[in-house]
């Protein structure tokens, strides 16, 4: 028997994304906020790991590419935790809810409301970890960790121009949303983790800008009295260009593109099979009505899709 890849097709994955975006957009507002609060906390922890990994003066001076690669290899655990626990990043919402809105399963106002709430929830979660866990916990109060935080934030915030940060934001969320896409495509836990890990490794190793990651990197530097970095500068160069770039990268380059390629003017998608057996047969078939949000959310695929936060 020829070997087969036990994964969903791109068409099925985009259908998952559409259903998940609908489920997310119709969640109660308090649950959206708490979910995004959790995501902000989890990503902040991964940002802390990245900063501590960078706290190696010799590597920073003599092998900056190598230390960036090593830190990029450890950072993706944050997105793995977020996606597999169903928490919501605003950056993932830019893809999920855009596809759902284009697919007419979610209204545009609800899409924008989801973006708004997840952004502020992510910010609150990130600042909680920055102030309470890292700040008062004095995790980065001593060198070389303090110097690593300040140096990293300076390179992120002070050195680059506005347009450079915007363009890096596009590349970042292009890869982040592809990680969400691949996380949905795998049928087993290991496949999902690998699918999430690789694009996230790529964006960190390339030095791209993620608006939620910046919610940890820059405020932590401000907490540690980094010279030349203020709240105003953070808003102007850490939030605005990164957020706009992330919206373009996730909403246009991934969400709109895959909707156009697979869902525009196509027949309703039938999702078949939960997992393939050794004989190559599917264990089940799920075909809820396309317009039935509750039925879609209640299926295994709908639940799985709703849990892929990103």
């Amino acid at each position: 028997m020829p070997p087969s890849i036990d994964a969903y097709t791109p068409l099925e994955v985009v259908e998952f994304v559409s259903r998940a975006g609908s489920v997310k957009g119709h969640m109660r507002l308090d649950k959206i906020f708490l979910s995004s609060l959790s995501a902000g906390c989890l990503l902040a922890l991964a940002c802390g790991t990245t900063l501590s990994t960078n706290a190696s003066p010799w590597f920073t001076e003599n092998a900056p590419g190598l230390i960036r690669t090593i830190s990029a290899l450890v950072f993706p655990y944050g997105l793995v935790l977020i996606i597999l626990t169903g928490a919501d990043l605003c950056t993932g919402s830019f893809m999920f809810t855009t596809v759902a809105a284009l697919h007419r399963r979610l209204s545009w106002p609800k899409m924008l409301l989801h973006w708004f709430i997840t952004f502020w929830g992510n910010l609150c979660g990130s600042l909680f970890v920055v102030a309470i866990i890292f700040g008062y916990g004095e995790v980065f109060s001593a060198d070389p960790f303090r110097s690593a935080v300040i140096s990293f934030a300076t390179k992120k915030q002070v050195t680059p121009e506005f347009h450079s940060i915007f363009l890096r934001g596009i590349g970042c969320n292009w890869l982040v949303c592809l990680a969400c896409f691949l996380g949905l495509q795998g049928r087993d836990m290991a496949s999902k983790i690998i699918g999430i890990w690789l694009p996230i490794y790529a964006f960190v190793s390339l030095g791209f800008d993620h608006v939620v990651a910046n919610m940890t990197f820059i405020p932590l530097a401000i907490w540690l009295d980094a010279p030349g970095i203020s709240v105003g500068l953070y808003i102007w160069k850490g939030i605005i260009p990164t957020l706009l770039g992330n919206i373009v990268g996730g909403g246009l380059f991934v969400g709109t593109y895959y909707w156009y390629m697979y869902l525009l003017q196509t027949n309703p998608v039938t999702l078949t099979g939960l997992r393939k057996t050794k004989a190559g047969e599917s264990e089940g078939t799920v075909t809820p009505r396309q317009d039935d949000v509750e039925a879609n959310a209640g299926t295994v695929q709908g639940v799985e899709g709703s849990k892929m936060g990103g």
Side-chain angles (χ1 to χ4, degrees):
M1 179 180 295
S4 63
I5 299 175
D6 187 12
Y8 295 108
T9 66
L11 174 61
E12 290 174 321
V13 176
V14 181
E15 175 67 18
F16 286 151
V17 170
S18 176
R19 296 185 184 192
S22 176
V23 172
K24 290 174 181 296
H26 289 96
M27 284 174 61
R28 281 172 32 187
L29 300 186
D30 61 316
K31 288 194 173 185
I32 296 175
F33 179 78
L34 290 174
S35 178
S36 57
L37 182 77
S38 172
C41 292
L42 293 174
L43 193 66
L45 296 174
C47 291
T49 302
T50 299
L51 291 170
S52 65
T53 305
N54 279 323
S56 176
W58 187 91
F59 277 99
T60 302
E61 293 293 329
N62 298 282
L66 178 60
I67 196 64
R68 176 188 280 188
T69 299
I70 295 172
S71 63
L73 285 171
V74 300
F75 179 80
Y77 83 80
L79 272 294
V80 170
L81 293 176
I82 289 167
I83 293 174
L84 296 185
T85 59
D88 280 297
L89 283 177
C90 63
T91 47
S93 178
F94 299 153
M95 175 188 70
F96 283 104
T97 56
T98 296
V99 173
L102 290 170
H103 208 194
R104 298 183 180 179
R105 285 177 167 158
L106 182 69
S107 69
W108 294 102
K110 280 187 175 290
M111 178 196 78
L112 294 175
L113 180 62
H114 196 271
W115 291 9
F116 180 82
I117 296 174
T118 52
F119 173 85
W120 288 105
N122 293 161
L123 181 61
C124 290
S126 299
L127 294 181
F128 170 80
V129 173
V130 167
I132 306 302
I133 308 299
F134 294 161
Y136 289 117
E138 299 184 346
V139 176
F140 294 95
S141 61
D143 282 331
F145 303 104
R146 182 178 182 275
S147 297
V149 172
I150 294 174
S151 174
F152 189 89
T154 300
K155 293 175 183 177
K156 279 280 185 186
Q157 200 74 114
V158 179
T159 306
E161 298 293 334
F162 187 98
H163 71 278
S164 298
I165 299 173
F166 169 75
L167 295 173
R168 292 178 190 178
I170 294 176
C172 170
N173 211 33
W174 192 347
L175 288 166
V176 169
C177 289
L178 284 176
C180 298
F181 189 98
L182 296 180
L184 278 168
Q185 192 160 19
R187 294 176 186 259
D188 60 275
M189 182 71 76
S191 298
K192 290 178 182 296
I193 291 174
I194 294 171
I196 296 166
W197 208 279
L198 294 176
I200 302 304
Y201 157 75
F203 107 67
V204 179
S205 66
L206 291 169
F208 290 159
D209 280 270
H210 188 272
V211 68
V212 184
N214 282 355
M215 293 174 183
T216 297
F217 293 139
I218 313 307
L220 183 58
I222 295 173
W223 181 281
L224 296 173
D225 299 320
I229 301 179
S230 63
V231 174
L233 180 67
Y234 166 54
I235 294 172
W236 174 240
K237 292 179 71 176
I239 291 181
I240 295 175
T242 313
L243 179 63
L244 293 175
N246 288 171
I247 290 173
V248 173
L252 180 62
F253 282 49
V254 182
T256 302
Y257 169 76
Y258 286 109
W259 165 80
Y260 183 86
M261 292 297 294
Y262 294 110
L263 294 181
L264 180 64
Q265 296 178 341
T266 60
N267 295 324
V269 180
T270 298
L271 301 176
T272 59
L274 309 182
R275 286 201 64 187
K276 293 182 180 179
T277 63
K278 292 182 179 180
E281 298 176 352
S282 297
E283 294 179 354
T285 301
V286 181
T287 55
R289 295 197 312 274
Q290 186 174 358
D291 59 347
D292 191 341
V293 174
E294 295 299 326
N296 283 322
T299 65
V300 172
Q301 282 91 345
V303 171
E304 184 177 8
S306 70
K307 287 182 178 180
M308 306 307 288

